[in-house]
Amino acid sequence: MEEPLQRPRLTKRTLFVLGAMNLIDCINATLMMPYVDRMVSGFLDSSPEDPLVAHWIGMLIGVYSLCEVLFSVFWGYVSDRMGRKP
């Protein structure tokens, strides 16, 4: 007869680590916001108030967020296969 698998316990320490990781991820997503207008206007050699700069800022932030969502599945799979084992 097979022994039932024990479910991992969700301790306060685990919840703290998960919460900290979520906070860091949110900070990471908004880290470039204060500087992206000057960066894009420098690349386009135009004023930060130019509508084309606003368009490319929106594209940059949108593509960054989309890539983060799409590649998180891949990195999760890689960490499950190659990461630390219990």
Side-chain angles (χ1 to χ4, degrees), residues 42-64:
F43 287 149
L44 295 177
D45 198 27
S46 62
S47 167
E49 289 82 23
D50 188 2
L52 187 62
V53 172
H55 169 77
W56 283 108
I57 289 171
M59 291 295 288
L60 180 66
I61 292 170
V63 168
Y64 176 82

Side-chain angles (χ1 to χ4, degrees), residues 24-58:
I24 291 169
D25 187 45
C26 291
I27 291 171
N28 183 32
T30 59
L31 191 62
M32 66 179 168
M33 299 292 182
Y35 311 105
V36 74
D37 61 337
R38 285 178 271 161
M39 181 182 73
V40 171
S41 65
F43 287 149
L44 295 177
D45 198 27
S46 62
S47 167
E49 289 82 23
D50 188 2
L52 187 62
V53 172
H55 169 77
W56 283 108
I57 289 171

